[in-house]
Amino acid sequence: DGKLTLGKNFVAGLGAGVSEALIIVAPVETVKTKCIELNKSFLSGMKYIIQTEGVSGIYKGVTATALKQGSNMGLRFMWFNKYKEIITKDGEKKMTPLMGLFGGMSAGCFSTLGNNPFDVIKTRLQGTNASKYASTYDCFQQILRNEGVSAFYVGVVPRMGRVVPGQVIT
């Protein structure tokens, strides 16, 4: 019947997010994070990373980035499509721009709250202190053990301040 279940919507978003992470987000976020920490411009930061770590240096944290982007898009697809189904009474009513605005805002909130732990792990693995973590899982364990669950939600409010308006626009 052409309808996607919540699970299928999540998987569709997951695939989109992982693809986006591997092609664009991982290298750009890694360079951005290190440039901020090193106080370098994007191009000089990229050159520095390649000289000191090789090309693989721009892909630090790629697993965590794929987890973050995949879950982010999966949660957004799942939430927004369920929201749309409810608001439009399964397509019987037209969705107004205002309904779309609220749907985008709520999808942005939902995905941010649902996957901020992956964002924290991704940022740690892409930073200049990434060498203190053996893997994505090790990073997760160290944060949990040394800082507690609340550390996975550090920066969630500013992130929502960026994500929610972006979702409203798209």
Side-chain angles (χ1 to χ4, degrees):
D1 67 359
K3 287 182 64 173
L4 294 178
T5 64
L6 285 175
K8 287 180 181 177
N9 273 304
F10 181 81
V11 170
L14 180 73
V18 169
S19 299
E20 174 184 51
L22 297 176
I23 297 166
I24 300 290
V25 178
V28 170
E29 286 284 311
T30 300
V31 174
K32 177 194 81 168
T33 300
K34 288 183 180 178
C35 285
I36 290 168
E37 292 178 5
L38 297 169
N39 196 27
K40 292 185 176 286
S41 70
F42 189 84
L43 291 178
S44 67
M46 185 184 296
K47 182 179 174 186
Y48 173 81
I49 293 165
I50 292 170
Q51 286 174 339
T52 59
E53 301 176 46
V55 174
S56 66
I58 63 172
Y59 275 93
K60 295 292 183 195
V62 70
T63 301
T65 304
L67 288 168
K68 180 243 178 188
Q69 285 301 114
S71 65
N72 191 41
M73 298 309 275
L75 291 170
R76 285 183 193 171
F77 277 38
M78 186 176 75
W79 179 275
F80 189 79
N81 285 305
K82 187 64 176 177
Y83 169 87
K84 187 169 69 173
E85 179 184 307
I86 292 167
I87 292 298
T88 65
K89 298 194 186 306
D90 210 12
E92 291 177 23
K93 288 175 48 181
K94 187 176 176 177
M95 188 158 71
T96 67
L98 186 60
M99 288 179 198
L101 175 101
F102 288 126
M105 288 173 63
S106 62
C109 288
F110 181 70
S111 67
T112 299
L113 291 171
N115 83 342
N116 207 73
F118 292 124
D119 193 49
V120 169
I121 293 166
K122 172 199 74 72
T123 302
R124 299 275 181 101
L125 291 171
Q126 291 174 328
T128 55
N129 293 317
S131 62
K132 71 185 211 179
Y133 306 110
S135 65
T136 300
Y137 185 66
D138 179 56
C139 182
F140 166 78
Q141 286 183 309
Q142 284 192 47
I143 294 169
L144 185 61
R145 182 177 45 249
N146 300 329
E147 301 171 57
V149 173
S150 64
F152 292 113
Y153 286 90
V154 169
V156 73
V157 173
R159 186 167 170 236
M160 272 202 213
R162 179 187 55 80
V163 169
V164 172
Q167 286 307 115
V168 168
I169 293 167
T170 58

